[in-house]
């Protein structure tokens, strides 16, 4: 990434949530990776699909929330993001989820994952790299 940035070559980088896997590629050499920035996905109101999320239990969430809240109250941090891994049951493929996701930023790595988000993670302006996550 340092090299591609230093030669001003546009690139895409993906990092798994647990940082165990990563990918860096030039935008013009992204292979099978699909990505979209500020594209509108057509919404097919006639299609139906199965979508069931299994969130954590109330007890699990409550325990984690109390832990985060205590840290905030002690002044250990002023910003936090409480998330949980949740099982999703659907008859959609990752590719189809990518196609129908209506989000400003989305990416699909075939056979691995699909991700989409409303927030811009990184912005480059006047040779300055900034991040303004909404969390």
């Amino acid at each position: 990434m340092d090299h591609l940035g230093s030669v001003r070559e546009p690139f895409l980088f993906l990092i798994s949530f647990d940082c165990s896997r990563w990918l860096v590629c030039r935008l013009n050499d992204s292979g099978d990776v699909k990505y979209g920035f500020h594209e509108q996905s057509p919404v097919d109101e006639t299609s139906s699909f199965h979508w069931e999320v299994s969130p954590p239990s109330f007890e699990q969430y409550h325990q984690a929330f109390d832990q985060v809240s205590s840290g905030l109250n002690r002044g250990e941090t002023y910003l936090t993001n409480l998330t949980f891994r949740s099982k999703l049951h659907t008859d959609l493929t990752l590719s189809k989820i990518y196609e129908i996701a209506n989000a400003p930023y989305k990416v699909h790595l075939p056979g691995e994952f699909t991700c989409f988000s409303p927030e811009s993670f990184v912005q480059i302006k006047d040779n300055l790299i900034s991040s303004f996550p909404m969390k």
Side-chain angles (χ1 to χ4, degrees):
M1 289 190 323
D2 286 344
H3 171 71
L4 292 172
S6 70
V7 296
R8 303 185 95 45
E9 176 77 35
F11 64 93
L12 176 71
F13 68 96
L14 307 173
I15 303 171
S16 64
F17 73 95
D18 62 358
C19 299
S20 66
R21 300 189 49 158
W22 53 271
L23 170 73
V24 178
C25 59
R26 289 178 173 85
L27 284 187
N28 62 2
D29 190 25
S30 59
D32 293 336
V33 178
K34 296 178 188 175
Y35 57 91
F37 304 130
H38 296 287
E39 295 175 359
Q40 290 292 340
S41 296
V43 178
D44 182 0
E45 300 290 339
T46 62
S47 68
S48 64
F49 51 86
H50 175 74
W51 189 272
E52 179 185 347
V53 179
S54 299
S57 70
F58 177 81
E59 292 77 21
Q60 289 173 304
Y61 184 85
H62 192 272
Q63 181 181 5
F65 182 86
D66 284 349
Q67 183 178 3
V68 167
S69 183
S70 294
L72 287 167
N73 289 332
R74 288 190 303 272
E76 295 172 359
T77 185
Y78 66 94
L79 182 66
T80 188
N81 184 17
L82 178 58
T83 61
F84 287 86
R85 189 180 282 196
S86 299
K87 289 187 179 185
L88 170 64
H89 305 279
T90 184
D91 53 359
L92 296 172
T93 63
L94 292 175
S95 182
K96 187 65 174 176
I97 293 171
Y98 172 84
E99 289 174 23
I100 66 173
N102 192 10
Y105 304 96
K106 59 185 186 175
V107 64
H108 172 64
L109 182 58
E112 296 286 333
F113 67 87
T114 290
C115 178
F116 47 92
S117 175
E119 70 180 298
S120 177
F121 293 105
V122 176
Q123 178 183 29
I124 303 173
K125 184 176 180 183
D126 298 329
N127 221 20
L128 180 67
I129 299 174
S130 303
S131 180
F132 303 99
M134 64 184 191
K135 296 172 186 70

